[in-house]
Amino acid sequence: MSLANQTAVTRRLEITPKAPPLPGDTDAPVAAAEAGTGPALGTAAPGAATGTDAAPDAPTGTGTGTAPRPALGTDAAPGAATGTSLDSVLDASAGRALPPTAVTAVLHAFGGRARELPPRTVVFIGSTAALTGLPATHEGIPVRTAPSPAHALHLAHHELQAKTADLALVAGFQEPLGRAVTVQILRRAAEAVAADDSVLGVLDFEGCAGPADEPIQRPSRHSRRLTDPAAPRLLLWSGGNAAEEQRVRRELAPLLDGLFPEAFPALPTTMPCGQAPGPVRAGAVTTAERAPAAVAAARAGYAPRPRPVALLFPGQGSQHTAMAAGLYGREPVFTAAVDAVLELLGPEGPAIRADWLTDTPSLAIDDVRRAQPLLFAVDYGLGCMVLSWGIRPAAFLGHSAGELVAAVLAGVVPLSDAVTMMRERVVAAVRIPAGGMLAVAAGADTLRPYLRADVVIAAVNATSQTMLAGSTAPLAETAAALRADGHTVVTVPATSPFHSPAMAPAAAAVERAYTGIPFRIPALPLYSGYTGDLLGPDDAVSPRFWARQITDPVLFQPALDQLLAADDMLLVEAGPRQTLTVFARRHRAVRLGASAAVPLLPARPTTPEADRHAVLTAACRLWQEGHQLKGEALARLWTCAAEEADPAPATRAGTPPVGVAS
């Protein structure tokens, strides 16, 4: 079964009350045992530090879609922040009516505060005790009740799969234990993997006769292991100085010469093992056969201070059939992220996937009904993959439709709402008469005399790179006039006149659809191609701002100017082709070497192997820049393939897998 159709358990916490103090002792803290080491609750964007512990009232805003959790074994016990008596809640769970403070205890079990949770968070209380007086909402969060913990899990699963909830906190106040509260965090499995959560397992409801039956929890397995020595992989090594780097390189040579080929994929990603990487770094993308020569030929660089990473997301015009398909089914985070987007698109999702992966699509890839959803899915998948390597971007910048992906990763809008926004844009766009876009090798001022009818400047991408947009006939006349005067003109693969007045009716419809979406101020710097500057709080939460993006011009060059004025950056293009990389490399800061631009994918459609090779090359560049990378995450690119039928043994949802405390 696809991860997109499953519900994952990402965290579990069992809380027991404090023991009576012995004479002369101070009160002992509440004992809590936690299963799972992934991020806790909240809505801060991916890109901030994760995996740290904090008390419930500690400053928040970090985590990949989550907020800090309380430090276990400290006095910051769940419920302490609001004066909740956990003893009274637990006493009630043993047979008396469950008090309203039970909801507060659940929220604080992981240090979460209501305003930091995802907008569509729901609390589910399952209890065999009487449930009286519990609120229908708590600080704006819906509260559902069920006659047992198993019922609560069924309700949570139903709402997650119906897309009415994005995160569920499920608390089981159960007899005969009585003196314990088990709180679990549930998410749609594909989204949890895409966010690089530590998934404890996925819930299997197929064998349940009814909601009173506790679902099976199966281990989360979304890939199988490969040992292909002919597949390229990444070898990274470093030293504290040039001499030490050379010594490590010499030690690698005999190891690679005498290595059994099938063991090559299993080598550690970084050398030497167990040591902190040094500032002198080198790397190679190679196969087992070519490894000795590749290591010998690799160039080392000195990187005492890595430049901050900014992720760039391209928009319409970059798409092509099977873009990034070499990663799909081979890189688990990317695959799960794409599946999550397509699942959120509903019944159309499978058709979009099929058209993406075939040479004969039912709808052309340049049709807005294919281009926009697939660009969103691929851009988002690549962004999640880079984050899973341990990269924490300092900023985001998207071009056109790519700005919506940047908004998700910067914490402005949840993924489910962003997919809805994109879908509304597509629905509105197809109602507009056909049009198109042109890329012209000239500045905006040079092109103004050629504008006619509804043809306008659609995007300012670089000093001599401008896009025009308009209805079909006037745009064709403009293109003919430009070519007659010797200008280089390329037709952009688009069937709608985006970023032109022709899209005004679509913008009005989209603005109405965006009303009520829970926008938030970015948690990380987001540079907007529509303001040409850092996105401000007023625009970030404005439905009109996001709706007008389909009519307003894209000011990519001014936005890039502001981004590179803030700091020297390593720009990583997370999308197909290398369009934004080309624009960035024409920027003065990049030409002078202060900043640099790195693409994740090839410049043109090619083979699946080339997709993986390009990604590995980009990862190698990040390493050589001095960034710390997670070797186990990178190794998925050469050790993983799509999972087949899962024969793994199962455990009950309330029982942790072997070796995991609960």
Side-chain angles (χ1 to χ4, degrees):
M1 182 185 296
S2 167
L3 281 178
N5 301 316
Q6 299 185 58
T7 294
V9 179
T10 63
R11 300 283 303 285
R12 185 186 300 112
L13 189 69
E14 185 175 293
I15 311 168
T16 55
K18 59 188 178 183
L22 297 173
D25 287 348
T26 58
D27 285 350
V30 170
E34 183 179 17
T37 57
L41 307 178
T43 56
T50 61
T52 58
D53 290 338
D57 285 333
T60 59
T62 61
T64 55
T66 59
R69 60 181 185 265
L72 302 180
T74 70
D75 290 332
T82 58
T84 302
S85 171
L86 192 59
D87 283 315
S88 66
V89 173
L90 292 165
D91 286 342
S93 74
R96 295 189 290 276
L98 205 62
T101 49
V103 181
T104 304
V106 170
L107 288 175
H108 283 274
F110 292 94
R113 290 179 286 187
R115 67 179 180 273
E116 296 154 357
L117 299 171
R120 270 186 296 278
T121 295
V122 181
V123 172
F124 297 85
I125 304 289
S127 175
T128 52
L131 296 171
T132 59
L134 287 182
T137 61
H138 179 85
E139 298 183 33
I141 297 177
V143 178
R144 314 272 196 260
T145 58
S148 72
H151 277 79
L153 287 170
H154 281 264
L155 287 175
H157 170 72
H158 175 76
E159 291 213 26
L160 287 167
Q161 297 306 316
K163 316 299 190 298
T164 55
D166 291 331
L167 185 144
L169 293 175
V170 182
F173 295 81
Q174 51 192 318
E175 294 177 341
L177 296 178
R179 299 289 291 172
V181 182
T182 301
V183 183
Q184 300 184 78
I185 300 179
L186 273 57
R187 296 181 64 181
R188 288 182 285 270
E191 292 170 44
V193 174
D196 206 27
D197 278 0
S198 294
V199 177
L200 299 183
V202 293
L203 298 182
D204 183 354
F205 294 85
E206 291 184 359
C208 296
D213 285 356
E214 190 174 311
I216 295 293
Q217 178 177 296
R218 300 189 181 279
S220 173
R221 290 179 55 188
H222 41 266
S223 62
R224 57 189 174 87
R225 189 165 183 81
L226 295 177
T227 56
D228 181 6
R233 59 153 293 167
L234 194 55
L235 285 174
L236 306 173
W237 64 94
S238 68
N241 51 48
E244 186 175 326
E245 183 274 327
Q246 285 294 320
R247 178 179 59 78
V248 174
R249 195 189 300 236
R250 288 193 300 271
E251 291 173 353
L252 271 173
L255 171 65
L256 297 172
D257 273 330
L259 189 68
F260 190 61
E262 280 68 24
F264 181 67
L267 282 177
T269 306
T270 59
M271 304 283 185
C273 300
Q275 295 184 22
V280 179
R281 299 188 175 195
V285 180
T286 181
T287 61
E289 182 181 5
R290 299 176 181 175
V295 169
R299 297 177 61 183
Y302 180 60
R305 177 188 175 272
R307 286 175 286 196
V309 170
L311 288 181
L312 309 182
F313 299 98
Q316 180 124 6
S318 298
Q319 75 279 354
H320 61 79
T321 301
M323 53 186 170
L327 304 177
Y328 189 70
R330 289 294 298 269
E331 208 296 324
V333 170
F334 174 84
T335 303
V338 171
D339 283 346
V341 172
L342 297 179
E343 175 70 13
L344 288 167
L345 286 168
E348 187 68 6
I352 293 172
R353 181 190 288 105
D355 281 350
W356 171 41
L357 300 175
T358 183
D359 293 331
T360 57
S362 59
L363 281 178
I365 192 68
D366 296 336
D367 189 300
V368 67
R369 291 169 291 179
R370 290 295 179 265
Q372 297 263 334
L374 284 173
L375 274 171
F376 184 99
V378 168
D379 285 7
Y380 175 69
L382 291 171
C384 289
M385 180 184 69
V386 172
L387 293 174
S388 76
W389 297 346
I391 297 295
R392 296 294 170 251
F396 300 95
L397 169 59
H399 189 290
S400 187
E403 186 158 320
L404 196 52
V405 176
V408 174
L409 297 180
V412 174
V413 64
L415 175 65
S416 56
D417 287 309
V419 172
T420 297
M421 292 170 67
M422 179 267 298
R423 183 171 51 203
E424 292 294 339
R425 287 170 58 152
V426 170
V427 169
V430 296
R431 296 173 180 159
I432 302 298
M437 307 179 78
L438 300 173
V440 187
D445 291 340
T446 301
L447 298 179
R448 294 190 195 282
Y450 293 91
L451 305 181
R452 63 192 72 199
D454 66 354
V455 177
V456 297
I457 304 293
V460 179
N461 293 324
T463 302
S464 297
Q465 289 292 326
T466 307
M467 290 176 64
L468 306 181
S471 300
T472 302
L475 194 66
E477 294 173 3
T478 300
L482 286 166
R483 290 187 177 107
D485 288 346
H487 291 287
T488 301
V489 180
V490 177
T491 300
V492 176
T495 57
S496 298
F498 282 105
H499 314 302
S500 77
M503 299 296 292
V510 165
E511 183 176 355
R512 291 190 295 271
Y514 287 2
T515 303
I517 287 179
F519 297 108
R520 292 181 176 178
I521 296 171
L524 291 169
L526 171 58
Y527 287 81
S528 172
Y530 296 95
T531 65
D533 206 340
L534 197 63
L535 182 65
D538 292 339
D539 284 336
V541 300
S542 167
R544 181 172 178 79
F545 169 79
W546 293 103
R548 292 291 301 177
Q549 290 191 355
I550 58 178
T551 59
D552 292 354
V554 179
L555 306 177
F556 181 78
Q557 182 187 21
L560 186 62
D561 286 342
Q562 294 300 313
L563 171 61
L564 296 182
D567 201 349
D568 297 337
M569 292 280 181
L570 183 64
L571 307 170
V572 177
E573 183 175 4
R577 302 191 193 268
Q578 299 177 4
T579 307
L580 301 187
T581 301
V582 171
F583 295 155
R585 285 174 176 170
R586 293 176 179 175
H587 194 281
R588 185 172 184 271
V590 177
R591 286 189 286 106
L592 293 176
S595 293
V598 179
L600 279 177
L601 291 175
R604 59 188 60 83
T606 182
T607 64
E609 292 76 15
D611 287 343
R612 294 191 289 274
H613 195 282
V615 168
L616 290 171
T617 301
C620 189
R621 178 64 183 275
L622 286 164
W623 165 261
Q624 291 173 312
E625 278 277 328
H627 289 279
Q628 305 290 61
L629 302 177
K630 295 179 179 178
E632 68 277 11
L634 288 171
R636 298 168 186 153
L637 285 160
W638 62 86
T639 60
C640 290
E643 181 61 282
E644 298 171 342
D646 185 1
T651 58
R652 287 289 172 186
T655 305
V658 175
V660 179
S662 66

